[in-house]
Amino acid sequence: MIEPLLANTDVLVIGSGAAGMYAAIEAARSGCQVMLIDRSLIGRGGATVMAQMTVAVALGSQAPDHWSHHYHDTLMAGRGLCNESLARLLCEEGPACIEEMDTWGVGWARKDGRITAAFAPGHDRPRCVYVDFLKTGPAVSKTLRSVVNKTTGISRSGDLCIVDLTKSDGVVTGAVAWHVSSGAPVVISAKATIVATGGLTRLYRRNSGSANMGGDGYAICLRAGAPLIDMEFVQFFPIGHLAPRLIGMDPIMWDPFRYKLGGRLLNGRMEEFTQNYGVPEDGRYIITRDVGTYAILKEVEASRGSPHGGAYLSFQHCSEAALREAFGPVIDRLAKNHIDLTKMPIEVAPIAHYHMGGVAANAHMETEVPGLLVAGEAVGGANGANRLSGNAITEALVFGRQAGRTAAARVKAMRTSVPPDARETLDLLRGEERKDMPNTAEMLEALQAIMADDVGPLRTQTKLERALSRIDQIDAALGARPFGVAAPFDLTRLDWLDLRNMVMVARVVAQAALLRTESRGAHQREDLPGMLPEWRVNQVVRLKDGCIEISRMPAAPIEVAAQ
Amino acid sequence: MSEIAILKIWRGPDKTAGCFESYEVPYEPGQSVLDGLRWIRVHKDPTLAFRYSCINANACKECMMEIDGETIYACTTRLEPRNMTVEPLGNKKLVRDLVTEIAPPQERLRQK
Ligand SMILES: Cc1cc2nc3c(=O)[nH]c(=O)nc-3n(C[C@H](O)[C@H](O)[C@H](O)COP(=O)(O)OP(=O)(O)OC[C@H]3O[C@@H](n4cnc5c(N)ncnc54)[C@H](O)[C@@H]3O)c2cc1C
Ligand code: FES
């Protein structure tokens, strides 16, 4: 085996999305040495750079607003399951982060000098700031990346995939990474470690996220002894692009069109249908994500879907001038894909998009395990059973900043660092030469198919049990030791490491979904429709002797924020 | 018979040790070259190495390579039912197959 490389830092930040970069900046400007790493390239591999829409924040720049209104809407959307201290942190500190981003030159869209806010479903007033045209995520990512570059004390490295955290006497002491571009293991010793690895959309065949979103952080933290929460709540984005084939644009790109222009959601018979699910839209855009997803899938099930198995979205009532004004250059990119919105509707269908669940943390971003902090989408609880649009980027910024702060305080209070015990992970990375190596890319697709078909938005006991037994089969084929070799960019080795995490996280999602015998928000059980008062509980997942254990914890009482 | 695209792909750990290998990929209108490369990994050879993150969104800018001699993103280049040559970037250090060292030096692991 290649000798492990050693690195040492005060704060290790895993993942360079909005959460990881803000955490790194905050910890470094509090005087810490920070190592910011990513399995992909810095600032490019996650969901942040892909976000195209809006950021929800009670700035009150256009019309009066207050964080408590945002908080109220967030709790309502969460269907009674939000962790109130996290939701409150998100809403209360959102404005400060958005304003700081503004001073860093992110370029929030403005009208008459004031930052403009769009209206998005579930919010009681226009509250969602953005960067035109579909550039919110790229602008956020680029801005943070340039601040990271300018901040002293942050060393950065891409191509470093974290395999596991290291622990000594119950305390997290750093992590072991696999350096993808050389194949070498790397042992990183840190006084505080922040997991900011984003979500799990890659578990599903059709998803809006990147190839790095296999839920690594959830698996890594679970193995290190930190509990997960609300893992059954995977958010599907109702109107992901389905047809005609579109390249060079993310499938969720229609949302900004709907914010600005409304648009009509039609079934295969060209009839509006959302009113049958309790939400008459009348050309506006008000349906929340959980209800939208449910409505479209139910139409498809009743043989009223569009030809490719979704719904139509039509902007044919908009003039060419109106479309051009709202979307400028995007209209030309659509034309290259032979899409003319004045002449045709497009087809959309639900697509895996975001994870409400995640690692359990308090409002300081501390997990149950000392030395281990989390930030961003990796954190569970702030959004309960359903997330409002725009809350995810705010969450990434606010939680990232808070995690950086807490980490810096921990570092200041510690005299020496504990040397990491990396033996187990280094031994794992020695791997195993196999002649009959299964095709890891094919296994990954098989897992995605299981999740999409049986652990998607509409669930039943039969489907979930079938999924669990199929996940077991994949797990058995995977075995206990990595395939591939410790060579530069061995994707079979990387796939094996990914599958190890994805199988664990898939099992957690399916088991939590099987246990929740009701329907709530993003978790819809077709065999058990309706929300039950006794299920106002959060499910907590722990790993005990390698086995998943799920317990219940009463959700916080709904207390609507005082003005 | 359904149409196919033939991707002639550079395989090897450095620019002196390696060769081109050809793969037949079923062609569907509207697909990207990246779709073709991902199809090869699932159906033919999972060891084929290339960089990509955002898959289709053209946001991560990691899938840049040389396709028919042109430096371009694999996820925005259409797959076509003909011979297409796919090579790593000529002006960057080769890591393996189509993967090159594209990160700025200060964003790479400093190996002592
Ligand atoms: C297409 C799309 C559009 C979206 N639009 C919006 C929007 O308009 N508004 C909104 O509020 N939200 C939106 N969301 C959600 C939002 O973008 C994300 O929730 C948010 O960006 C998450 O930020 P993060 O920093 O937590 O994680 P990410 O930005 O996902 O970053 C995580 C990073 O961790 C790295 N990583 C993962 N595993 C490892 C490992 N094992 N080792 C090392 N590194 C690792 C990844 O490579 C990645 O770079 C969108 C999501 C998608 C996919
Ligand atoms: S895969 Fe991200 S730009 Fe091509």
Side-chain angles (χ1 to χ4, degrees), chain A residues 18-20 22-24 26 194 365 374-376 394-405:
Chain A
Y22 220 130
E26 188 66 22
I194 302 173
M365 297 299 126
V374 277
T394 318
E395 160 187 87
L397 298 169
V398 170
F399 291 5
R401 188 174 74 152
Q402 182 56 52
R405 248 176 223 175

PDB file of all heavy atoms in Angstrom, chain A residues 18-20 22-24 26 194 365 374-376 394-405:
ATOM      1  N   ALA A  18     -21.666  25.893   0.043  1.00  0.00           N
ATOM      2  CA  ALA A  18     -21.854  27.145   0.779  1.00  0.00           C
ATOM      3  C   ALA A  18     -21.578  26.947   2.266  1.00  0.00           C
ATOM      4  O   ALA A  18     -20.936  27.787   2.911  1.00  0.00           O
ATOM      5  CB  ALA A  18     -23.282  27.648   0.576  1.00  0.00           C
ATOM      6  N   ALA A  19     -22.031  25.833   2.828  1.00  0.00           N
ATOM      7  CA  ALA A  19     -21.860  25.609   4.266  1.00  0.00           C
ATOM      8  C   ALA A  19     -20.387  25.469   4.625  1.00  0.00           C
ATOM      9  O   ALA A  19     -19.895  26.115   5.559  1.00  0.00           O
ATOM     10  CB  ALA A  19     -22.635  24.357   4.690  1.00  0.00           C
ATOM     11  N   GLY A  20     -19.673  24.630   3.884  1.00  0.00           N
ATOM     12  CA  GLY A  20     -18.264  24.401   4.185  1.00  0.00           C
ATOM     13  C   GLY A  20     -17.423  25.663   3.994  1.00  0.00           C
ATOM     14  O   GLY A  20     -16.543  25.973   4.813  1.00  0.00           O
ATOM     15  N   TYR A  22     -18.406  28.862   4.088  1.00  0.00           N
ATOM     16  CA  TYR A  22     -18.704  29.888   5.110  1.00  0.00           C
ATOM     17  C   TYR A  22     -18.077  29.470   6.450  1.00  0.00           C
ATOM     18  O   TYR A  22     -17.518  30.294   7.192  1.00  0.00           O
ATOM     19  CB  TYR A  22     -20.214  30.084   5.275  1.00  0.00           C
ATOM     20  CG  TYR A  22     -20.640  31.535   5.446  1.00  0.00           C
ATOM     21  CD1 TYR A  22     -21.659  32.084   4.683  1.00  0.00           C
ATOM     22  CD2 TYR A  22     -20.020  32.355   6.395  1.00  0.00           C
ATOM     23  CE1 TYR A  22     -22.062  33.401   4.834  1.00  0.00           C
ATOM     24  CE2 TYR A  22     -20.413  33.681   6.556  1.00  0.00           C
ATOM     25  CZ  TYR A  22     -21.438  34.189   5.770  1.00  0.00           C
ATOM     26  OH  TYR A  22     -21.823  35.504   5.927  1.00  0.00           O
ATOM     27  N   ALA A  23     -18.149  28.175   6.754  1.00  0.00           N
ATOM     28  CA  ALA A  23     -17.549  27.679   8.000  1.00  0.00           C
ATOM     29  C   ALA A  23     -16.048  27.946   8.009  1.00  0.00           C
ATOM     30  O   ALA A  23     -15.482  28.403   9.015  1.00  0.00           O
ATOM     31  CB  ALA A  23     -17.823  26.179   8.153  1.00  0.00           C
ATOM     32  N   ALA A  24     -15.397  27.676   6.878  1.00  0.00           N
ATOM     33  CA  ALA A  24     -13.944  27.878   6.793  1.00  0.00           C
ATOM     34  C   ALA A  24     -13.587  29.352   6.988  1.00  0.00           C
ATOM     35  O   ALA A  24     -12.654  29.686   7.732  1.00  0.00           O
ATOM     36  CB  ALA A  24     -13.440  27.378   5.441  1.00  0.00           C
ATOM     37  N   GLU A  26     -15.340  31.687   8.536  1.00  0.00           N
ATOM     38  CA  GLU A  26     -15.630  32.121   9.906  1.00  0.00           C
ATOM     39  C   GLU A  26     -14.570  31.607  10.893  1.00  0.00           C
ATOM     40  O   GLU A  26     -14.118  32.346  11.773  1.00  0.00           O
ATOM     41  CB  GLU A  26     -17.030  31.624  10.305  1.00  0.00           C
ATOM     42  CG  GLU A  26     -17.539  32.156  11.617  1.00  0.00           C
ATOM     43  CD  GLU A  26     -17.801  33.665  11.614  1.00  0.00           C
ATOM     44  OE1 GLU A  26     -17.985  34.251  10.521  1.00  0.00           O
ATOM     45  OE2 GLU A  26     -17.793  34.250  12.715  1.00  0.00           O
ATOM     46  N   ILE A 194     -15.694  19.620  10.881  1.00  0.00           N
ATOM     47  CA  ILE A 194     -17.035  20.037  10.449  1.00  0.00           C
ATOM     48  C   ILE A 194     -17.421  19.246   9.201  1.00  0.00           C
ATOM     49  O   ILE A 194     -16.741  19.326   8.178  1.00  0.00           O
ATOM     50  CB  ILE A 194     -17.070  21.553  10.127  1.00  0.00           C
ATOM     51  CG1 ILE A 194     -16.650  22.377  11.353  1.00  0.00           C
ATOM     52  CG2 ILE A 194     -18.454  21.964   9.626  1.00  0.00           C
ATOM     53  CD1 ILE A 194     -16.500  23.863  11.090  1.00  0.00           C
ATOM     54  N   MET A 365     -24.442  23.779  16.245  1.00  0.00           N
ATOM     55  CA  MET A 365     -23.997  22.851  15.200  1.00  0.00           C
ATOM     56  C   MET A 365     -23.151  21.711  15.764  1.00  0.00           C
ATOM     57  O   MET A 365     -22.426  21.037  15.039  1.00  0.00           O
ATOM     58  CB  MET A 365     -23.228  23.560  14.065  1.00  0.00           C
ATOM     59  CG  MET A 365     -24.041  24.559  13.318  1.00  0.00           C
ATOM     60  SD  MET A 365     -25.451  23.778  12.528  1.00  0.00           S
ATOM     61  CE  MET A 365     -26.789  24.767  13.150  1.00  0.00           C
ATOM     62  N   VAL A 374     -21.486  19.784  12.386  1.00  0.00           N
ATOM     63  CA  VAL A 374     -22.070  19.618  11.052  1.00  0.00           C
ATOM     64  C   VAL A 374     -22.585  20.959  10.550  1.00  0.00           C
ATOM     65  O   VAL A 374     -22.804  21.887  11.344  1.00  0.00           O
ATOM     66  CB  VAL A 374     -23.238  18.594  11.043  1.00  0.00           C
ATOM     67  CG1 VAL A 374     -22.733  17.182  10.934  1.00  0.00           C
ATOM     68  CG2 VAL A 374     -24.122  18.745  12.263  1.00  0.00           C
ATOM     69  N   ALA A 375     -22.813  21.063   9.243  1.00  0.00           N
ATOM     70  CA  ALA A 375     -23.352  22.301   8.682  1.00  0.00           C
ATOM     71  C   ALA A 375     -24.033  22.024   7.351  1.00  0.00           C
ATOM     72  O   ALA A 375     -23.685  21.079   6.647  1.00  0.00           O
ATOM     73  CB  ALA A 375     -22.233  23.330   8.482  1.00  0.00           C
ATOM     74  N   GLY A 376     -25.016  22.864   7.018  1.00  0.00           N
ATOM     75  CA  GLY A 376     -25.666  22.790   5.706  1.00  0.00           C
ATOM     76  C   GLY A 376     -26.678  21.665   5.613  1.00  0.00           C
ATOM     77  O   GLY A 376     -27.312  21.275   6.603  1.00  0.00           O
ATOM     78  N   THR A 394     -30.023  29.449   2.569  1.00  0.00           N
ATOM     79  CA  THR A 394     -29.945  30.203   3.822  1.00  0.00           C
ATOM     80  C   THR A 394     -29.405  29.299   4.932  1.00  0.00           C
ATOM     81  O   THR A 394     -28.518  29.685   5.700  1.00  0.00           O
ATOM     82  CB  THR A 394     -31.352  30.705   4.222  1.00  0.00           C
ATOM     83  OG1 THR A 394     -32.007  31.177   3.053  1.00  0.00           O
ATOM     84  CG2 THR A 394     -31.274  31.800   5.246  1.00  0.00           C
ATOM     85  N   GLU A 395     -29.932  28.095   4.974  1.00  0.00           N
ATOM     86  CA  GLU A 395     -29.479  27.113   5.969  1.00  0.00           C
ATOM     87  C   GLU A 395     -27.979  26.836   5.818  1.00  0.00           C
ATOM     88  O   GLU A 395     -27.232  26.799   6.805  1.00  0.00           O
ATOM     89  CB  GLU A 395     -30.299  25.833   5.771  1.00  0.00           C
ATOM     90  CG  GLU A 395     -29.744  24.560   6.338  1.00  0.00           C
ATOM     91  CD  GLU A 395     -30.590  23.350   5.914  1.00  0.00           C
ATOM     92  OE1 GLU A 395     -30.356  22.768   4.832  1.00  0.00           O
ATOM     93  OE2 GLU A 395     -31.495  23.002   6.675  1.00  0.00           O
ATOM     94  N   ALA A 396     -27.539  26.664   4.577  1.00  0.00           N
ATOM     95  CA  ALA A 396     -26.116  26.370   4.349  1.00  0.00           C
ATOM     96  C   ALA A 396     -25.247  27.534   4.850  1.00  0.00           C
ATOM     97  O   ALA A 396     -24.243  27.329   5.547  1.00  0.00           O
ATOM     98  CB  ALA A 396     -25.858  26.096   2.868  1.00  0.00           C
ATOM     99  N   LEU A 397     -25.651  28.767   4.529  1.00  0.00           N
ATOM    100  CA  LEU A 397     -24.850  29.933   4.929  1.00  0.00           C
ATOM    101  C   LEU A 397     -24.856  30.100   6.450  1.00  0.00           C
ATOM    102  O   LEU A 397     -23.803  30.239   7.083  1.00  0.00           O
ATOM    103  CB  LEU A 397     -25.398  31.204   4.272  1.00  0.00           C
ATOM    104  CG  LEU A 397     -25.378  31.248   2.728  1.00  0.00           C
ATOM    105  CD1 LEU A 397     -26.184  32.444   2.220  1.00  0.00           C
ATOM    106  CD2 LEU A 397     -23.949  31.302   2.207  1.00  0.00           C
ATOM    107  N   VAL A 398     -26.052  30.093   7.029  1.00  0.00           N
ATOM    108  CA  VAL A 398     -26.183  30.368   8.472  1.00  0.00           C
ATOM    109  C   VAL A 398     -25.524  29.255   9.299  1.00  0.00           C
ATOM    110  O   VAL A 398     -24.759  29.524  10.225  1.00  0.00           O
ATOM    111  CB  VAL A 398     -27.679  30.504   8.848  1.00  0.00           C
ATOM    112  CG1 VAL A 398     -27.853  30.550  10.357  1.00  0.00           C
ATOM    113  CG2 VAL A 398     -28.287  31.744   8.199  1.00  0.00           C
ATOM    114  N   PHE A 399     -25.820  28.007   8.940  1.00  0.00           N
ATOM    115  CA  PHE A 399     -25.270  26.894   9.718  1.00  0.00           C
ATOM    116  C   PHE A 399     -23.752  26.806   9.524  1.00  0.00           C
ATOM    117  O   PHE A 399     -23.017  26.445  10.445  1.00  0.00           O
ATOM    118  CB  PHE A 399     -25.945  25.565   9.336  1.00  0.00           C
ATOM    119  CG  PHE A 399     -27.394  25.461   9.757  1.00  0.00           C
ATOM    120  CD1 PHE A 399     -28.061  26.528  10.346  1.00  0.00           C
ATOM    121  CD2 PHE A 399     -28.099  24.275   9.571  1.00  0.00           C
ATOM    122  CE1 PHE A 399     -29.398  26.432  10.734  1.00  0.00           C
ATOM    123  CE2 PHE A 399     -29.440  24.162   9.961  1.00  0.00           C
ATOM    124  CZ  PHE A 399     -30.089  25.244  10.540  1.00  0.00           C
ATOM    125  N   GLY A 400     -23.299  27.120   8.318  1.00  0.00           N
ATOM    126  CA  GLY A 400     -21.860  27.113   8.066  1.00  0.00           C
ATOM    127  C   GLY A 400     -21.153  28.129   8.957  1.00  0.00           C
ATOM    128  O   GLY A 400     -20.167  27.822   9.636  1.00  0.00           O
ATOM    129  N   ARG A 401     -21.685  29.338   8.971  1.00  0.00           N
ATOM    130  CA  ARG A 401     -21.076  30.384   9.784  1.00  0.00           C
ATOM    131  C   ARG A 401     -21.066  29.983  11.262  1.00  0.00           C
ATOM    132  O   ARG A 401     -20.063  30.132  11.967  1.00  0.00           O
ATOM    133  CB  ARG A 401     -21.849  31.694   9.599  1.00  0.00           C
ATOM    134  CG  ARG A 401     -21.193  32.884  10.252  1.00  0.00           C
ATOM    135  CD  ARG A 401     -21.914  34.167   9.934  1.00  0.00           C
ATOM    136  NE  ARG A 401     -23.170  34.263  10.668  1.00  0.00           N
ATOM    137  CZ  ARG A 401     -23.741  35.418  11.026  1.00  0.00           C
ATOM    138  NH1 ARG A 401     -23.172  36.557  10.699  1.00  0.00           N
ATOM    139  NH2 ARG A 401     -24.871  35.429  11.673  1.00  0.00           N
ATOM    140  N   GLN A 402     -22.184  29.435  11.727  1.00  0.00           N
ATOM    141  CA  GLN A 402     -22.270  29.029  13.135  1.00  0.00           C
ATOM    142  C   GLN A 402     -21.285  27.902  13.459  1.00  0.00           C
ATOM    143  O   GLN A 402     -20.625  27.919  14.494  1.00  0.00           O
ATOM    144  CB  GLN A 402     -23.710  28.606  13.471  1.00  0.00           C
ATOM    145  CG  GLN A 402     -23.913  28.226  14.915  1.00  0.00           C
ATOM    146  CD  GLN A 402     -23.503  29.343  15.870  1.00  0.00           C
ATOM    147  OE1 GLN A 402     -23.941  30.486  15.742  1.00  0.00           O
ATOM    148  NE2 GLN A 402     -22.619  29.032  16.832  1.00  0.00           N
ATOM    149  N   ALA A 403     -21.180  26.941  12.550  1.00  0.00           N
ATOM    150  CA  ALA A 403     -20.255  25.828  12.792  1.00  0.00           C
ATOM    151  C   ALA A 403     -18.819  26.341  12.866  1.00  0.00           C
ATOM    152  O   ALA A 403     -18.029  25.895  13.706  1.00  0.00           O
ATOM    153  CB  ALA A 403     -20.391  24.784  11.681  1.00  0.00           C
ATOM    154  N   GLY A 404     -18.477  27.293  12.011  1.00  0.00           N
ATOM    155  CA  GLY A 404     -17.135  27.884  12.038  1.00  0.00           C
ATOM    156  C   GLY A 404     -16.852  28.557  13.369  1.00  0.00           C
ATOM    157  O   GLY A 404     -15.764  28.430  13.948  1.00  0.00           O
ATOM    158  N   ARG A 405     -17.868  29.253  13.877  1.00  0.00           N
ATOM    159  CA  ARG A 405     -17.747  29.930  15.171  1.00  0.00           C
ATOM    160  C   ARG A 405     -17.540  28.944  16.315  1.00  0.00           C
ATOM    161  O   ARG A 405     -16.643  29.113  17.151  1.00  0.00           O
ATOM    162  CB  ARG A 405     -19.064  30.657  15.453  1.00  0.00           C
ATOM    163  CG  ARG A 405     -18.911  32.123  15.411  1.00  0.00           C
ATOM    164  CD  ARG A 405     -20.229  32.802  15.582  1.00  0.00           C
ATOM    165  NE  ARG A 405     -20.235  33.865  14.595  1.00  0.00           N
ATOM    166  CZ  ARG A 405     -21.252  34.646  14.336  1.00  0.00           C
ATOM    167  NH1 ARG A 405     -22.393  34.462  14.963  1.00  0.00           N
ATOM    168  NH2 ARG A 405     -21.132  35.600  13.452  1.00  0.00           N
TER     169      ARG A 405
END
